[in-house]
Amino acid sequence: MLTLKDKLLLFLDLLSDQEIFCPRRFIAQSFSSYKYSAVDQRLRDLARKGMVASSGRGNSGLIKLKVPLTEFWKSEVFDRRRFGEGWQWDGLWRIVLFDIAEEQRKVRDSIRRKLKSLGFAMFQKSVWITPFDVASQMSSFLKKIGLKGPVEILEGKRLFVENEKTLADKLWDLKTVNQSYKRLAEGELFSFEDFLKVKVSDPCLPKELLIRPWYATAAEARLKKFIGTELI
């Protein structure tokens, strides 16, 4: 689940490529579902940690992400975000198989959460797949929790299915995600919170597996334009 800090970082990251310093007032308006004091405190915390740069005082003060967000992606929330648009798929599928007894339910649930955060989808019971090159991250996680034996990590060039795009749509429900992006791109003006709900549900799959047209870029461009207009 995204924390307020996570949301603020994603919001500032969205503006960073446009070299926009965002007024503290506008940030507060964009997160109106939170108390102003809570938003202000998180921004102060981020500034103290060197994650954002700030200038000026009060509501007119300016805030900007100081370094690329990728340097701060430690939370599982951001695991698959590191693969954003433009990453090149090597054509390999990563497959995790595990058989963990009911007595170890906490361990099993922990593995499932990590698999989901890394972009895996359940192919069938206890078999999970992803196109992301995350075998090493998964292996490190298993070592960290001290699990050996009942988990196997495989890599394969080809899945013997009729159509990989159809499979991806089925496993990650791409039609629903794409329709949500389309509504944002073509509908009424929306808030960053609306965009974020869809963005977090996006599995960030490589373009080779996506439905065409894919409306994520159009939705993001529209949000940036709206934010830019509000900042004028």
Side-chain angles (χ1 to χ4, degrees):
M1 185 175 183
L2 288 173
T3 65
L4 176 56
K5 183 187 79 171
D6 295 331
K7 292 179 180 180
L8 288 168
L9 287 172
L10 286 166
F11 181 77
L12 293 170
D13 182 61
L14 188 68
L15 303 179
S16 63
D17 65 341
Q18 295 185 329
E19 296 296 315
I20 293 177
F21 267 82
C22 197
R24 191 180 293 262
R25 164 187 51 77
F26 181 68
I27 297 176
Q29 291 173 352
S30 299
F31 290 89
S32 57
S33 60
Y34 293 90
K35 290 183 179 180
Y36 175 83
S37 59
V39 175
D40 186 61
Q41 184 59 54
R42 294 302 180 279
L43 290 173
R44 290 174 184 274
D45 292 343
L46 292 173
R48 278 197 298 271
K49 293 176 181 178
M51 300 171 82
V52 302
S54 61
S55 60
R57 294 178 177 276
N59 284 342
S60 60
L62 302 177
I63 302 288
K64 182 181 180 182
L65 197 65
K66 197 171 182 179
V67 297
L69 184 58
T70 49
E71 295 191 19
F72 299 107
W73 281 344
K74 306 298 183 184
S75 167
E76 287 186 3
V77 168
F78 295 117
D79 272 343
R80 71 176 183 274
R81 297 260 76 82
R82 72 184 72 236
F83 290 97
E85 290 184 17
W87 73 277
Q88 297 298 309
W89 184 33
D90 57 10
L92 296 178
W93 290 90
R94 284 75 190 180
I95 305 168
V96 170
L97 306 93
F98 63 92
D99 184 16
I100 298 175
E102 179 66 21
E103 293 76 19
Q104 292 183 287
R105 179 181 294 182
K106 288 186 178 180
V107 172
R108 186 179 61 195
D109 291 346
S110 177
I111 291 174
R112 285 176 175 168
R113 284 195 301 272
K114 187 64 177 179
L115 286 168
K116 289 179 180 179
S117 77
L118 287 171
F120 282 84
M122 189 170 70
F123 185 69
Q124 62 183 51
K125 187 177 180 181
S126 299
V127 179
W128 295 66
I129 67 171
T130 184
F132 299 122
D133 185 10
V134 292
S136 60
Q137 288 98 312
M138 194 63 205
S139 180
S140 296
F141 171 76
L142 294 174
K143 289 180 181 177
K144 182 179 178 181
I145 65 175
L147 188 65
K148 299 178 182 179
V151 180
E152 300 290 342
I153 304 174
L154 310 175
E155 289 187 347
K157 182 67 177 177
R158 177 178 170 80
L159 291 177
F160 290 94
V161 295
E162 184 175 344
N163 187 300
E164 290 183 326
K165 274 193 174 184
T166 301
L167 176 67
D169 179 26
K170 177 182 177 182
L171 295 180
W172 285 277
D173 196 12
L174 297 182
K175 283 190 179 72
T176 298
V177 176
N178 201 36
Q179 282 300 314
S180 296
Y181 273 133
K182 185 178 181 181
R183 283 194 294 272
L184 294 181
E186 299 178 353
E188 298 298 321
L189 290 177
F190 56 92
S191 69
F192 176 70
E193 291 270 14
D194 294 329
F195 176 80
L196 193 58
K197 288 176 184 176
V198 182
K199 189 70 174 176
V200 171
S201 70
D202 185 350
C204 301
L205 298 180
K207 62 182 184 296
E208 293 89 343
L209 298 174
L210 295 178
I211 297 167
R212 293 298 177 188
W214 185 250
Y215 289 96
T217 301
E220 186 167 316
R222 188 161 178 268
L223 178 62
K224 287 180 178 180
K225 183 178 180 180
F226 170 64
I227 290 174
T229 300
E230 291 292 300
L231 290 174
I232 293 175

